[in-house]
Amino acid sequence: MKKQFVKDLRAGQTVQDIFYLVGREVRDRKDGSSFLILALTDKSGKIYGKIWDNAKQVIEYAIPGNFYQITGSVKEYGGANELSVRDITEIPVEQIAKEDFLPTSRFNSDELLAELKTYFKLIDNPNLAKLIDSFFADNEFVEQFKTAPGAASVHHAYLSGLLEHTVCMLRLSKAIANTYPEVDYPLLVTGIILHDVGKIKEYVYDKSIDHTFEGRLLGHIMMGYEMVSTKIDQIPDFPAELKRVLLHMILTHHGHLEFGSPKTPKFVEAFLLHILDYTDARVMMFLDATEKNKGVKWTEYHQFLETNIYLKDQE
Amino acid sequence: MKKQFVKDLRAGQTVQDIFYLVGREVRDRKDGSSFLILALTDKSGKIYGKIWDNAKQVIEYAIPGNFYQITGSVKEYGGANELSVRDITEIPVEQIAKEDFLPTSRFNSDELLAELKTYFKLIDNPNLAKLIDSFFADNEFVEQFKTAPGAASVHHAYLSGLLEHTVCMLRLSKAIANTYPEVDYPLLVTGIILHDVGKIKEYVYDKSIDHTFEGRLLGHIMMGYEMVSTKIDQIPDFPAELKRVLLHMILTHHGHLEFGSPKTPKFVEAFLLHILDYTDARVMMFLDATEKNKGVKWTEYHQFLETNIYLKDQE
Amino acid sequence: MKKQFVKDLRAGQTVQDIFYLVGREVRDRKDGSSFLILALTDKSGKIYGKIWDNAKQVIEYAIPGNFYQITGSVKEYGGANELSVRDITEIPVEQIAKEDFLPTSRFNSDELLAELKTYFKLIDNPNLAKLIDSFFADNEFVEQFKTAPGAASVHHAYLSGLLEHTVCMLRLSKAIANTYPEVDYPLLVTGIILHDVGKIKEYVYDKSIDHTFEGRLLGHIMMGYEMVSTKIDQIPDFPAELKRVLLHMILTHHGHLEFGSPKTPKFVEAFLLHILDYTDARVMMFLDATEKNKGVKWTEYHQFLETNIYLKDQE
Amino acid sequence: MKKQFVKDLRAGQTVQDIFYLVGREVRDRKDGSSFLILALTDKSGKIYGKIWDNAKQVIEYAIPGNFYQITGSVKEYGGANELSVRDITEIPVEQIAKEDFLPTSRFNSDELLAELKTYFKLIDNPNLAKLIDSFFADNEFVEQFKTAPGAASVHHAYLSGLLEHTVCMLRLSKAIANTYPEVDYPLLVTGIILHDVGKIKEYVYDKSIDHTFEGRLLGHIMMGYEMVSTKIDQIPDFPAELKRVLLHMILTHHGHLEFGSPKTPKFVEAFLLHILDYTDARVMMFLDATEKNKGVKWTEYHQFLETNIYLKDQE
Amino acid sequence: MKKQFVKDLRAGQTVQDIFYLVGREVRDRKDGSSFLILALTDKSGKIYGKIWDNAKQVIEYAIPGNFYQITGSVKEYGGANELSVRDITEIPVEQIAKEDFLPTSRFNSDELLAELKTYFKLIDNPNLAKLIDSFFADNEFVEQFKTAPGAASVHHAYLSGLLEHTVCMLRLSKAIANTYPEVDYPLLVTGIILHDVGKIKEYVYDKSIDHTFEGRLLGHIMMGYEMVSTKIDQIPDFPAELKRVLLHMILTHHGHLEFGSPKTPKFVEAFLLHILDYTDARVMMFLDATEKNKGVKWTEYHQFLETNIYLKDQE
Amino acid sequence: MKKQFVKDLRAGQTVQDIFYLVGREVRDRKDGSSFLILALTDKSGKIYGKIWDNAKQVIEYAIPGNFYQITGSVKEYGGANELSVRDITEIPVEQIAKEDFLPTSRFNSDELLAELKTYFKLIDNPNLAKLIDSFFADNEFVEQFKTAPGAASVHHAYLSGLLEHTVCMLRLSKAIANTYPEVDYPLLVTGIILHDVGKIKEYVYDKSIDHTFEGRLLGHIMMGYEMVSTKIDQIPDFPAELKRVLLHMILTHHGHLEFGSPKTPKFVEAFLLHILDYTDARVMMFLDATEKNKGVKWTEYHQFLETNIYLKDQE
């Protein structure tokens, strides 16, 4: 586990810890010699490091995409911190604690999973219950479901983001059964739990969070559809109507064709699945933007919310 | 109170009850004489009545927009019921029970109001509490708020529809406080209760549900804005920030400019107010369409949901 | 096989042949008695039949969705032909020649299939060749692929429409290899052949052409994706890259999210597959509308082409 | 009043005048010491100033948002002028002539106001005349109406811009009474004069032109609506119809929902108010862009006009 | 000249006047014989005529698209007037007064033309003056320009509608020169006069107002462009810059690509030409709808204005 | 002809060749003196040159838009090559080989023209054949048509790009005649050959490829329309129907109003012309982007294709 995180470094400090190298570049000095700039990250942020000697040799050794033990000290330059690097040693990826380098949900993933499982008993439809079981009896699936991010950017873009997102939707759904008794709540709960399972194949999240090739070419809607469809086919006598209804919910949970759902919701549970997904994603954007802009009244323009966000006075 | 409702009439029955006249027309008979067709309604539907004698005299007397005691009998003609009218007598509007002629919420409005008031104690902000009090201490307002429809068509287009819609949004909001503790729940509850108060001026709902002139020219967003703004100005020392924040929520609850909100939501409570409003309206459209189409698998195209709705098998 | 088709009937003729009943209705006569109107079709059009006697008994017997032997004669009434029906006898569906009642491609489906197979040898990629083989070695698939319509309305909405559409796209593609040698032509040919295979599950086409429930809830893109994915998984060592690339082409062949493709084309073969599909569908709409409007200069407004079509002078 | 404006400064000149500080930053020098860069403005433009000595002390003193007396000299550096600053002294805002720092209409505001008042006599409707009087009898309102900008950017973004915009619309309207005698010209004139009064609360314009919090959360349409509504309610017996008609014009003057009008114009005077507003704003953008690009044939892409503007040859 | 117009006919009257035949249809009578229905029009409206005898012979003679002298009498049937026709005689088109059958501007076309010509002297650019002269020195052009409709429906869809539209735009433009002295007013006036000249080729307006084939395939923008371009090329030394600027104005006067202008306005005179065109068309729609709906408060939904129109109280 | 192209220069090389000057700038040196940076291009790319002595004099002489013989040597600086310039001499434009400085089609323009002409014999309509002849008998036209670029950027933005684009569309069209025998292939071929002739007036392409003023104000659709229209008018007895049909194809070849076609295609040949144009342009974008991004899996976001492009594995 790391001890020195980028966001905590202060000018004057000595540094000896592991960082992830995302890029490097040779720059010329006035005297004709050259130096090396390294772009180093951990989960808390990015810092530039400078190596003044042996730039040409070091550049052969410092390969972006690897982890390095960095020895040096923190300097202030142009108002920002940078590292004056004395020594750099590669560290094999197996020795790395993934949580040091990738942002992680502020919630504990074991607790989130336990909370998720409390909803299983609300699924009082034996076929749906079997389907959920068949996913959660698979330890490899559970491990990935616990760890996968919820997105590559903007919201839930951190480890366990998928699980956190799923649990928040379940919490939100609680009021629905009371408000609309006509709604098939077991079906909705099943839809919530499974709607984004394709994301465990849409993203890689070992060194950094990014799309897989399949993820970009096919998308999590298609891949989740396939995963659920495959599991259903292994359950004897799963009703055909229930299969197509549930698959339709997976397909349509983005709500609109232009958001990548090839069909729009055709019954109320599919609509509610979409609205819960949309609500949780957008609320997280509002809360993130508010959190990151403490002290101002208006944030910068937010790309996805398509507005500047107002920070109300806190009485 | 009426006893004989349109939807319950059967061929052969004798009829003696009050109906609302929405139109009438003279038709020629083969023999050169003419007869009168009346379009009659109550809250349960529409039926045509025919008067074979003295058409010219009766037409002077039978004015659309009035109520009439109709005596006659039910006939079947071309597969549909119609009334053979023997006698027609005007009934003054004061003697009419409004509930006989306008559709009404399936919920009891006193119980809805009582449920609504249980949320008042959750508003632990003294200024917001005072504001809510100032509305609900006004008996005339309370009466209108209890009776007003929620829309002129499509969803909640019945007496007490506004109150039912407001209460359903409050029920849905319950899960939010648990899920997102950062949300200012008292503010959200206040926003829900007040967001549509302008509708008591947007609609007339004495004989039929329709827009007022102000309603069509100005809209309930503007009129609700004005009502809340006026009430706030009567509360001493109501904070300016809280006033603008709450008014912003009223303004933006349609969520998008193209739905008639002149600004879009700029903080999370305003966004949530919009999403709760949108969800309840859409869910009611799904449930209505499902209810009205029992027995088919696919409904006709739904104008507002922009799709045909699927009726799942009921196991 | 039928001998007397609706479009060829002439006033005065005696009729004795099978028709499909799509609806019926009882109407009252002046004298208080009633008669029955039948809506009868075959692939060439629709005609109304009237039964003057025993309307009440016949209506129990004449069920829409069945086939009936009709005996009677052709009358002209109000400028249109109608049938005066003397006798009506149900015919079991097994005795029906489907081609008499459903419109059929003007091309011979055996010849179309033979032409399609000439493209197999252009697929000089062994994995793609195996995939195509695995589909066309399955006789049940081939039978459905030969018979399925290409759409439920507007274009290729007739038996063997899917096959005709696929073959026309192959013909159009011929010039591409010469024009752009960079294009992977075997991949494109494979994509063309498989892009719409989901349609054999999207439509029913035994008595009339309509969507299946799965078809409306999931759509042919999803169902075709699943069929191709399943077949690929049965081929040992099929390259992962080739699988995702081909599945991407199936997914994106509608070209735009708003046309129901959950992703847009990301490489040139996927783009070309989309453009060939789009071109053939639109050209057929132009040709159909032109064919059906001989003699006028401008057709009515065409819903899909979003214009009135001009019929040029034929020199 | 200032004497030395940014746009008139020439290399070599000595400078001793007041500037507005919009930002500052410490930069490092090669020798390890540091210097301070100041961003200084007046209404004519922006210039950078450099302070070579005591950067750390000066930075405590030089606070963006204040005004400073600057003593120094103009240098050319990299093709642009900059100030070498010798001395910097804060000047209290009360001693500042606002016109030196904020851009101002090229027209004299007293003359514009006088011209505006010539239209009052055309309002030959006593209720509308009283309404206009009630606004212009209020000296504080008149003062703000004379000074307020017409926008925060793009067009009329200068002191008295609101008044100039209003007067130009009145001039444009003159031809309307002759062309369309059916138009209620007094109503249109009243609408023009009042349509943007909310802007005096939408903007601050003491040190720089910017939105108020209310302005951003509520917008000038809502605030103007409220101002006009309040004034009307103070006029005894103001007709209800005239009130809703005029308020509707305020509400709809942006013409389209997507431009922030919660309703669209429903009668011809409301439509004309919108079109005059739109025309004057767009013409000003064309004229500004043309003025600022003398000597080129095509301007850069214009964000709002969504085009590059062509500068015709001047014969 | 006609004396008896459709809208003035009253039941019981004898009729002897010319009507235009737009359609006819044979209908069966109870007794097995048949009768003929004629659809007859003049500029004031449409009336149905019935011929009871010799239907088969008359139908050979009564050809839609011709004019006929009708002798008969007015009957009331089902609440509407119809003609009982005794005699029908074809009248050659040369004997017809076009103004009897096509709607005509309420303004006198000679006076409109005279008013238009008063603007010629404002064109103090010799090249533009020559261009205008070259059009108005051509008597055939003048005759067509005086007579052509301004559109085929919705607004100015009557004889001399083009001229009326052009003159109204000139009137509206008067205030522009005062308001924006930077505008090249002679260029704008020239643009107004010529912007729609293509309409004399876009429409036929001898028997009814309709599009020509060229009109529908090419549109008046293209045809007007060609007419102006051709005229310019006949003027020696017409400046190339002025030509492209004026042609650009013709091209862009619909303002937006989606309204059929292949480019958008790139300078202020082109923008103003568009806005004047748009304003006059829309104002006419408002005034027409208001005129036709006297007595109601809200009109039906207006297709083009995309709203219901409000009729204000007339004090 | 040049020998040393920018993209082939290597550090250490001596340079003596002609370059095109697109810009220059004076920069200050530490010692108070200054130097000159030149931006130099040929068709293969851009390189910066530095002149250390006599910057002030050289700047008077080095005028952007001219060609210069440059003598100097290649240095590496900051990872990129630059030129250290010793001598600079202006070269008159007449001595320049245009192909050295403007990018050129990878195909030989004589061969492309010869291929184009092979399609002439397929035009078995004498009037269309005469029209094509009238263009290609004009040597000046042929020369421009052979040289003009197909666009100013994104695709075919090189000399002979127009010809290459036209020929590729002809190749693609070959399969159409077989697939749809109903299509008037001679008309389509004529449309392809002439659809973009306006581009020879839309662009300048002597020193660099850019729009003409006419090009930007009027566009190639309008200018091509005029050119074809003028040629047709010189052919005696050219049928009016054929003229309007062909002009319609020119007008509508962008397919949609929002792409600048003032009408949409109204018959199948016009639609096919559009689709061939669209296909060739888009395919070239895919192929270019693929070619330029060898070695990556995903390209940057492509502005026009509105996606990132995937580079499939090459087996």
Side-chain angles (χ1 to χ4, degrees), chain F residues 141-156:
Chain F
F141 168 80
V142 173
E143 201 48 46
Q144 291 173 311
F145 190 74
K146 269 179 66 178
T147 320
S153 62
V154 185
H155 68 99
H156 299 100

Tab-separated table of all heavy atoms in Angstrom, chain F residues 141-156:
chain	number	residue	atom	x	y	z
F	141	PHE	N	-12.646	24.038	-70.103
F	141	PHE	CA	-13.405	23.291	-69.097
F	141	PHE	C	-12.701	21.992	-68.728
F	141	PHE	O	-12.539	21.657	-67.550
F	141	PHE	CB	-14.828	22.995	-69.604
F	141	PHE	CG	-15.555	22.004	-68.740
F	141	PHE	CD1	-16.151	22.404	-67.546
F	141	PHE	CD2	-15.605	20.651	-69.074
F	141	PHE	CE1	-16.793	21.492	-66.725
F	141	PHE	CE2	-16.239	19.736	-68.254
F	141	PHE	CZ	-16.829	20.150	-67.078
F	142	VAL	N	-12.270	21.253	-69.748
F	142	VAL	CA	-11.631	19.954	-69.499
F	142	VAL	C	-10.404	20.126	-68.616
F	142	VAL	O	-10.173	19.368	-67.672
F	142	VAL	CB	-11.276	19.241	-70.822
F	142	VAL	CG1	-10.451	17.986	-70.555
F	142	VAL	CG2	-12.542	18.892	-71.594
F	143	GLU	N	-9.635	21.178	-68.929
F	143	GLU	CA	-8.420	21.408	-68.150
F	143	GLU	C	-8.763	21.656	-66.674
F	143	GLU	O	-8.147	21.079	-65.769
F	143	GLU	CB	-7.652	22.603	-68.746
F	143	GLU	CG	-6.184	22.617	-68.373
F	143	GLU	CD	-5.530	21.243	-68.589
F	143	GLU	OE1	-5.737	20.612	-69.663
F	143	GLU	OE2	-4.850	20.785	-67.654
F	144	GLN	N	-9.755	22.502	-66.443
F	144	GLN	CA	-10.162	22.796	-65.062
F	144	GLN	C	-10.765	21.562	-64.385
F	144	GLN	O	-10.485	21.279	-63.222
F	144	GLN	CB	-11.183	23.943	-65.055
F	144	GLN	CG	-10.568	25.290	-65.440
F	144	GLN	CD	-11.637	26.360	-65.596
F	144	GLN	OE1	-12.635	26.147	-66.274
F	144	GLN	NE2	-11.405	27.502	-64.978
F	145	PHE	N	-11.576	20.848	-65.129
F	145	PHE	CA	-12.225	19.656	-64.572
F	145	PHE	C	-11.178	18.606	-64.192
F	145	PHE	O	-11.356	17.864	-63.223
F	145	PHE	CB	-13.203	19.092	-65.615
F	145	PHE	CG	-14.113	18.010	-65.095
F	145	PHE	CD1	-15.183	18.310	-64.265
F	145	PHE	CD2	-13.912	16.675	-65.439
F	145	PHE	CE1	-16.030	17.313	-63.794
F	145	PHE	CE2	-14.745	15.686	-64.966
F	145	PHE	CZ	-15.804	16.001	-64.140
F	146	LYS	N	-10.089	18.542	-64.952
F	146	LYS	CA	-9.007	17.585	-64.647
F	146	LYS	C	-8.216	17.994	-63.411
F	146	LYS	O	-7.624	17.157	-62.741
F	146	LYS	CB	-8.023	17.492	-65.814
F	146	LYS	CG	-8.340	16.421	-66.820
F	146	LYS	CD	-7.324	16.410	-67.951
F	146	LYS	CE	-5.925	15.997	-67.481
F	146	LYS	NZ	-4.981	15.960	-68.636
F	147	THR	N	-8.158	19.292	-63.141
F	147	THR	CA	-7.264	19.789	-62.097
F	147	THR	C	-7.956	20.112	-60.787
F	147	THR	O	-7.353	20.028	-59.715
F	147	THR	CB	-6.564	21.073	-62.597
F	147	THR	OG1	-6.209	20.905	-63.957
F	147	THR	CG2	-5.329	21.377	-61.765
F	148	ALA	N	-9.218	20.498	-60.844
F	148	ALA	CA	-9.898	21.016	-59.639
F	148	ALA	C	-9.898	20.002	-58.502
F	148	ALA	O	-9.959	18.792	-58.730
F	148	ALA	CB	-11.336	21.399	-59.987
F	149	PRO	N	-9.830	20.508	-57.272
F	149	PRO	CA	-9.948	19.610	-56.117
F	149	PRO	C	-11.414	19.222	-55.925
F	149	PRO	O	-12.303	19.867	-56.479
F	149	PRO	CB	-9.471	20.472	-54.948
F	149	PRO	CG	-9.813	21.868	-55.355
F	149	PRO	CD	-9.672	21.909	-56.861
F	150	GLY	N	-11.635	18.191	-55.140
F	150	GLY	CA	-13.001	17.741	-54.886
F	150	GLY	C	-13.618	18.402	-53.659
F	150	GLY	O	-14.816	18.324	-53.439
F	151	ALA	N	-12.777	19.055	-52.869
F	151	ALA	CA	-13.256	19.731	-51.661
F	151	ALA	C	-12.111	20.589	-51.143
F	151	ALA	O	-10.981	20.508	-51.642
F	151	ALA	CB	-13.688	18.712	-50.604
F	152	ALA	N	-12.389	21.426	-50.139
F	152	ALA	CA	-11.326	22.250	-49.556
F	152	ALA	C	-10.682	21.573	-48.358
F	152	ALA	O	-9.625	21.977	-47.897
F	152	ALA	CB	-11.878	23.614	-49.159
F	153	SER	N	-11.320	20.528	-47.863
F	153	SER	CA	-10.743	19.789	-46.737
F	153	SER	C	-11.465	18.467	-46.584
F	153	SER	O	-12.413	18.187	-47.309
F	153	SER	CB	-10.881	20.602	-45.435
F	153	SER	OG	-12.234	20.800	-45.150
F	154	VAL	N	-10.991	17.652	-45.718
F	154	VAL	CA	-11.613	16.391	-45.272
F	154	VAL	C	-11.542	15.236	-46.288
F	154	VAL	O	-11.111	14.150	-45.969
F	154	VAL	CB	-13.092	16.576	-44.837
F	154	VAL	CG1	-13.640	15.287	-44.263
F	154	VAL	CG2	-13.196	17.674	-43.816
F	155	HIS	N	-11.989	15.460	-47.549
F	155	HIS	CA	-11.915	14.356	-48.501
F	155	HIS	C	-11.722	14.920	-49.912
F	155	HIS	O	-12.323	15.909	-50.265
F	155	HIS	CB	-13.187	13.497	-48.453
F	155	HIS	CG	-14.405	14.209	-48.953
F	155	HIS	ND1	-14.896	14.041	-50.223
F	155	HIS	CD2	-15.191	15.131	-48.367
F	155	HIS	CE1	-15.952	14.798	-50.378
F	155	HIS	NE2	-16.164	15.471	-49.265
F	156	HIS	N	-10.894	14.265	-50.713
F	156	HIS	CA	-10.624	14.710	-52.081
F	156	HIS	C	-10.099	16.140	-52.129
F	156	HIS	O	-10.274	16.822	-53.137
F	156	HIS	CB	-11.882	14.600	-52.954
F	156	HIS	CG	-12.410	13.196	-53.084
F	156	HIS	ND1	-13.461	12.749	-52.334
F	156	HIS	CD2	-12.042	12.156	-53.852
F	156	HIS	CE1	-13.729	11.483	-52.646
F	156	HIS	NE2	-12.870	11.094	-53.561
